[in-house]
Amino acid sequence: MKYKSLLIFGLLVLFVPLLSAQESFCWKKNLEESKVVVRAKVASVNGETVLATVTEAFAGKVKPKKNMQFTNNDNETVFKTGDEYFLFLREGVEKKSYRLPENASLPILNGNVFYNLLPEGKAYAHPSNALSEFLKVYYDGDLHLDYIDHLLDLVKIGAPLQEATENFMRLYYLNYAGFSDDYKTLLQNNEEQVSIAALYIVGNIQNDASRKILLDVLSGDFYPEMKKVAAKQIARDEAAMVLPLLSPLLQPENTAYEYEFTARCIFSAFVENEVKEIIPVMKDYLEKTDRNQNPNRTYLISTTDGLAHFASIEMNNYLHRSATEFFKSVDRDNFGIGTEDWGVAYMKVMEELPDMWNLQPYLYNFMTHFNGINSSFRNNPNMFREKKLKEDSLLTILKDVRPDFLPEGRWSVWAEINSNYDLVYYLPTYILDEEFGVELLVQILPEYMQQNYQCEVAFYSKNYYALFDSETCAGSQPLGYLINYLAKYAESKDVIFLMNLLQYGYAENDLDRDCLEKAIEKAEEAVGRVNHEIKR
């Protein structure tokens, strides 16, 4: 049966609010990777083992009215006897066994199923029989043509927007690619969800005309969600075909927000699709970026949507060289708005990738800008004591100046000293439960301190100095990342350094102290392993 022309809805909108970021059920993944898809009622539950009676079977070698067993690996789903579900099961460890991965089930409540066929967006109720119909068609190729024509009949001008959106997405999941060249006339204002759904179909076409639509969205004045979808769809196309077309949008000298956002959408989409041809483009973008002034580009090296995602010996070596180059270049004169973010991003990558080692001196010196620590503290532990004496002296002066502030918060100060233990820089901070930022404390500091030393005053909440942000001991502040790095690659002097951090109060709360103590234990184990290997 011949496809009908689909010249009904525009693809693009002039106003697109961001959709909900919550995405619990991945339709494309579950539809394509499931070995068994059924509608079933729970018969019994024994720990992670669930016995269910199949009421409808859509894919796999199972039959209605038969019992089947599977392992529940979804910690979010608690099965109860008598409840009915749509289940998207994968193969289990043993032969003829099945397992339910995370986010692969849809409960049936009063005859309805809650979901959204768009990859992102708020779930809402659908009749369970409608989902049964779609799944039956999806897994039976002989039914596709008639069903697609049926959907095209439903997509008409004036059709309810929710219904139109759902039907466009059903067409997308059935790999419909039936737009004619006349779709150029569809660049009109339309409801955002309908347009986004239609844009997904454009990605199925993969010809010059469809690429033109996707490029128009990426380069035009369209809202973020449209650009995200366009980037994801064009990343599915042949890299050799689309990367030259994207070159004008991937110029690192373009720092305006719209260019930054578009570039990130494109890079993230290609990384997500494992397109390795994007690697040299991202490397060039990184190397031409002033990392002291561009904090928004740290994703370029991340393990999620950056270069570190393509983990290999060659990539690890490249990132190691890039990190070394960055940390060697950092000093007080070129410490800009992006320096801290990039430093933390590199240290995070070092935590997550193997063989990112031998950067201790540069990482120590990076700490100078946050707490006055540098590599001298690793080689000369007496620096800790002398630094503490200077800080205690400064604290005494600060407390004497405004003792009436103390009930509301407390003073903190860190000092930077040189190898002769002379004070060269300090940063006093008044720590409050909540920031108030009204009174300029610098006006009440002793005049000789303002005149004789470079002086800044900061307003932070009491939690600002936390080194770690969770019970997993993940780094929060730069020093937290350094501690985790040293726990993996420590030498004997690094263990002593970590012990001095604990002794001199750099861990200010219970969580930080626990995490630092664990890091010391790991560092001691690392040193022990190295010494053992040397002796062997």
Side-chain angles (χ1 to χ4, degrees):
M1 188 176 294
K2 190 175 181 180
Y3 290 143
K4 296 177 175 62
S5 176
L6 186 56
L7 301 180
I8 309 300
F9 284 26
L11 301 180
L12 309 176
V13 293
L14 298 179
F15 177 75
V16 182
L18 289 175
L19 297 179
S20 168
Q22 297 178 352
E23 182 180 339
S24 60
F25 189 91
C26 181
W27 280 101
K28 194 167 185 63
K29 181 181 180 69
N30 285 322
L31 289 171
E32 293 178 355
E33 298 183 8
S34 299
K35 297 298 181 182
V36 168
V37 178
V38 297
R39 178 173 178 169
K41 181 173 291 188
V42 176
S44 65
V45 181
N46 183 12
E48 292 185 348
T49 302
V50 180
L51 183 68
T53 303
V54 177
T55 53
E56 287 186 278
F58 309 105
K61 296 180 179 180
V62 293
K63 296 182 179 180
K65 299 182 180 180
K66 298 291 185 180
N67 288 338
M68 66 173 298
Q69 184 174 292
F70 63 90
T71 303
N72 178 23
N73 296 135
D74 186 353
N75 295 327
E76 299 297 323
T77 302
V78 179
F79 289 98
K80 296 180 180 179
T81 301
D83 288 351
E84 192 175 10
Y85 292 82
F86 286 93
L87 303 171
F88 297 78
L89 303 170
R90 315 297 200 271
E91 289 181 335
V93 177
E94 300 177 0
K95 189 177 181 180
K96 294 184 179 180
S97 65
Y98 305 104
R99 62 181 178 84
L100 180 75
E102 288 188 335
N103 300 323
S105 66
L106 293 170
I108 301 172
L109 304 172
N110 298 322
N112 289 321
V113 188
F114 286 81
Y115 60 83
N116 192 332
L117 286 175
L118 284 169
E120 294 182 350
K122 184 179 179 180
Y124 49 89
H126 300 73
S128 59
N129 290 339
L131 179 55
S132 292
E133 179 187 20
F134 174 68
L135 292 175
K136 180 180 178 181
V137 171
Y138 181 88
Y139 291 107
D140 187 345
D142 293 338
L143 301 177
H144 281 199
L145 295 182
D146 287 342
Y147 189 69
I148 286 174
D149 274 337
H150 169 64
L151 291 176
L152 295 178
D153 282 336
L154 296 178
V155 181
K156 299 176 180 178
I157 293 176
L161 295 174
Q162 179 176 313
E163 177 184 314
T165 300
E166 293 289 319
N167 288 331
F168 270 119
M169 291 309 297
R170 290 185 179 96
L171 288 166
Y172 165 68
Y173 292 124
L174 290 169
N175 293 318
Y176 174 72
F179 279 132
S180 72
D181 288 339
D182 293 335
Y183 61 69
K184 294 178 182 178
T185 63
L186 299 176
L187 300 181
Q188 305 168 12
N189 179 26
N190 241 311
E191 183 68 24
E192 66 272 16
Q193 292 198 355
V194 175
S195 300
I196 289 172
L199 194 56
Y200 272 101
I201 299 176
V202 173
N204 282 342
I205 303 173
Q206 297 189 347
N207 60 21
D208 290 343
S210 67
R211 293 184 196 106
K212 177 66 166 56
I213 282 187
L214 298 174
L215 288 170
D216 285 344
V217 174
L218 286 170
S219 60
D221 185 18
F222 297 98
Y223 282 79
E225 196 62 37
M226 294 300 295
K227 291 181 180 287
K228 289 179 184 178
V229 173
K232 288 180 179 179
Q233 295 309 97
I234 206 166
R236 300 169 60 213
D237 208 339
E238 186 180 351
M241 187 69 69
V242 299
L243 279 176
L245 302 176
L246 294 171
S247 180
L249 302 176
L250 300 175
Q251 300 301 315
E253 62 270 18
N254 291 332
T255 58
Y257 170 77
E258 58 269 23
Y259 289 108
E260 293 278 11
F261 183 84
T262 300
R264 177 163 190 171
C265 286
I266 294 170
F267 286 139
S268 298
F270 277 80
V271 171
E272 182 180 347
N273 280 272
E274 307 285 346
V275 182
K276 293 185 178 180
E277 289 85 351
I278 200 67
I279 291 176
V281 182
M282 295 184 75
K283 284 182 177 180
D284 181 68
Y285 202 86
L286 171 63
E287 289 160 8
K288 291 179 179 177
T289 292
D290 183 351
R291 283 160 283 183
N292 290 306
Q293 298 300 327
N294 287 281
N296 296 328
R297 296 184 182 179
T298 57
Y299 69 89
L300 288 167
I301 61 172
S302 74
T303 56
T304 52
D305 51 3
L307 289 167
H309 179 82
F310 300 102
S312 66
I313 295 175
E314 180 183 0
M315 181 58 71
N316 290 356
N317 289 339
Y318 171 80
L319 290 171
H320 185 274
R321 291 193 299 272
S322 179
T324 303
E325 173 192 84
F326 169 76
F327 285 114
K328 285 177 68 174
S329 71
V330 175
D331 57 37
R332 199 178 298 285
D333 291 334
N334 70 351
F335 199 94
I337 60 173
T339 309
E340 179 177 354
D341 293 310
W342 277 98
V344 168
Y346 275 116
M347 287 190 283
K348 185 175 182 180
V349 169
M350 291 178 207
E351 279 191 42
E352 297 173 345
L353 293 184
D355 303 323
M356 289 287 286
W357 51 274
N358 199 28
L359 284 173
Q360 275 94 326
Y362 307 122
L363 297 183
Y364 276 113
N365 290 336
F366 188 63
M367 295 303 112
T368 303
H369 305 277
F370 309 103
N371 47 38
I373 289 174
N374 55 48
S375 56
S376 298
F377 287 75
R378 178 178 186 262
N379 301 318
N380 180 9
N382 288 331
M383 296 282 287
F384 277 98
R385 186 191 66 237
E386 296 298 326
K387 181 175 186 290
K388 184 68 164 56
L389 289 173
K390 291 288 191 299
E391 289 168 348
D392 287 346
S393 177
L394 291 169
L395 275 175
T396 299
I397 297 173
L398 291 168
K399 291 176 182 178
D400 288 342
V401 173
R402 284 297 296 268
D404 55 308
F405 272 26
L406 294 181
E408 299 179 27
R410 61 185 176 85
W411 282 105
S412 178
V413 63
W414 64 259
E416 180 185 345
I417 59 176
N418 60 24
S419 57
N420 295 321
Y421 308 141
D422 296 323
L423 180 65
V424 296
Y425 182 85
Y426 73 96
L427 178 66
T429 306
Y430 192 69
I431 304 174
L432 300 163
D433 288 344
E434 296 181 358
E435 298 180 21
F436 68 95
V438 175
E439 184 166 1
L440 296 178
L441 300 185
V442 69
Q443 295 176 357
I444 60 151
L445 293 177
E447 184 177 350
Y448 79 91
M449 293 178 70
Q450 296 181 49
Q451 293 175 348
N452 296 335
Y453 303 106
Q454 185 175 359
C455 179
E456 300 178 17
V457 176
F459 302 82
Y460 295 116
S461 72
K462 63 180 179 181
N463 296 320
Y464 175 77
Y465 288 101
L467 303 178
F468 304 93
D469 61 10
S470 74
E471 294 181 359
T472 62
C473 293
S476 175
Q477 298 296 320
L479 185 58
Y481 283 98
L482 174 64
I483 290 168
N484 287 343
Y485 176 82
L486 296 179
K488 293 176 64 176
Y489 304 115
E491 299 174 357
S492 297
K493 289 184 178 180
D494 298 313
V495 175
I496 296 173
F497 171 83
L498 293 175
M499 290 178 172
N500 276 319
L501 288 179
L502 188 62
Q503 178 182 346
Y504 285 93
Y506 285 84
E508 294 192 3
N509 57 54
D510 292 340
L511 173 61
D512 282 355
R513 283 188 288 274
D514 290 342
C515 292
L516 181 51
E517 288 172 354
K518 292 176 182 176
I520 292 171
E521 292 177 4
K522 291 179 181 178
E524 289 175 327
E525 292 174 2
V527 171
R529 285 194 300 271
V530 172
N531 291 339
H532 179 68
E533 292 173 0
I534 292 174
K535 289 179 182 178
R536 283 198 309 174

